[in-house]
Amino acid sequence: GQNIDQPTEMTATEGAIVQINCTYQTSGFNGLFWYQQHAGEAPTFLSYNVLDGLEEKGRFSSFLSRSKGYSYLLLKELQMKDSASYLCAVKQAGTALIFGKGTTLSVSS
Amino acid sequence: DTEVTQTPKHLVMGMTNKKSLKCEQHMGHRAMYWYKQKAKKPPELMFVYSYEKLSINESVPSRFSPECPNSSLLNLHLHALQPEDSALYLCASRETGAGANVLTFGAGSRLTVL
C-alpha cells in the first residue's frame, strides 16, 4: 500500500519563510516531486528529489530523507502569488505519480 | 512547443450523451496520462499510455474509454456518465527513458455531468 501525508492548510505572511512537510510510506520509491497548483489550473512542476539532500531552485528548495520517508518544500520571501495548493507526489518504479492530498497555502499581506 | 493542450476547456453533458476529451502534445513524449481531479482533492491516476499502448488502467469504469491514436494525441471517450463523474480531467505527458520523470500537465477539461 501507499500513504502520502501533508498538512491540509497553512498560512503565512508576505516576505516570510514557510516549510511544507510531506511524509510517505510506499512499497517502492523512484523519486519525490513537488507541484504547485493554483485554483482551477494545471499542476506545475517545482522540484524533484531522488537522492537524500537539499535541492535549491531560486526561492524554492526541497529536501529529501529516504530513510525517514520525509520531504519538505521550503518557500522563501513569500509573495501573494505563492498562494496555491502544493502537492507532494511519489513515483514508484514502473508507475505514474501518486499524489498526496495537497497543502493549501494562503499568503497574506 | 512545451505545452500539453486539452480541449474542450469546459464540457457539460447529460447522462445519456457521448462526448470526448482530447489531449495533444508535440514534445515527443511517449508516455501520456489521464488524471481525474475533484475539487480540493489531489489528481487521481486513471490511465497511462506508453508508446501508444495502454500500460496502466487504475480500475476505471468502462464508461471512460481511453484511446491513443498516435504518439501526439490522447483521447478520453465518455459515455453514460454519472453526476459524480463531474471533475477536472487532466492530461499529462513525460519523456521516457532513464532519468525522465517530470510530468507536464495540460490545463484540464472541466466536465459537468447533469
Side-chain angles (χ1 to χ4, degrees):
Chain A
Q2 53 221 6
N3 190 41
I4 303 173
D5 283 321
Q6 46 182 134
T8 304
E9 293 180 340
M10 298 184 72
T11 58
T13 53
E14 266 188 307
I17 299 174
V18 71
Q19 178 175 311
I20 304 174
N21 295 324
C22 172
T23 57
Y24 63 91
Q25 293 172 310
T26 56
S27 54
F29 180 83
N30 200 28
L32 187 141
F33 296 76
W34 286 95
Y35 278 79
Q36 180 192 61
Q37 187 176 27
H38 286 97
E41 298 182 11
T44 55
F45 170 74
L46 290 179
S47 70
Y48 169 60
N49 295 72
V50 66
L51 299 176
D52 289 354
L54 188 68
E55 293 282 341
E56 296 186 81
K57 196 185 287 187
R59 292 189 299 116
F60 293 5
S61 304
S62 58
F63 171 83
L64 175 68
S65 169
R66 288 172 298 170
S67 62
K68 295 181 180 176
Y70 168 68
S71 173
Y72 67 72
L73 180 70
L74 192 71
L75 294 79
K76 303 176 187 174
E77 301 169 16
L78 280 174
Q79 303 173 8
M80 298 291 283
K81 67 178 182 180
D82 297 328
S83 293
S85 181
Y86 291 86
L87 300 165
C88 173
V90 172
K91 186 174 186 298
Q92 297 173 266
T95 68
L97 289 184
I98 307 300
F99 286 88
K101 288 183 167 41
T103 299
T104 300
L105 174 65
S106 299
V107 180
S108 59
S109 56
Chain B
D1 188 350
T2 57
E3 289 187 345
V4 175
T5 304
Q6 290 187 241
T7 55
K9 288 191 177 358
H10 299 276
L11 177 63
V12 179
M13 59 187 291
M15 290 190 284
T16 58
N17 292 157
K18 283 186 182 180
K19 297 285 184 184
S20 297
L21 305 180
K22 297 185 184 302
C23 175
E24 189 168 3
Q25 56 87 16
H26 296 287
M27 295 179 280
H29 292 177
R30 301 305 294 274
M32 296 186 76
Y33 303 74
W34 281 114
Y35 280 85
K36 172 183 176 180
Q37 187 176 26
K38 304 278 275 184
K40 298 185 189 287
K41 299 287 187 185
E44 294 179 5
L45 181 65
M46 299 175 73
F47 302 104
V48 182
Y49 273 81
S50 180
Y51 292 90
E52 295 89 69
K53 289 189 178 2
L54 183 65
S55 60
I56 295 177
N57 175 343
E58 290 286 337
S59 303
V60 180
S62 60
R63 57 185 185 270
F64 294 92
S65 174
E67 178 197 20
C68 190
N70 61 56
S71 60
S72 299
L73 293 174
L74 184 66
N75 298 323
L76 186 62
H77 302 298
L78 314 170
H79 174 55
L81 294 194
Q82 304 296 311
E84 59 265 29
D85 296 323
S86 298
L88 180 68
Y89 288 83
L90 293 164
C91 174
S93 70
R94 70 171 178 88
E95 296 178 42
T96 50
N101 287 297
V102 177
L103 286 183
T104 300
F105 283 88
S109 292
R110 185 162 298 282
L111 173 68
T112 302
V113 182
L114 301 177

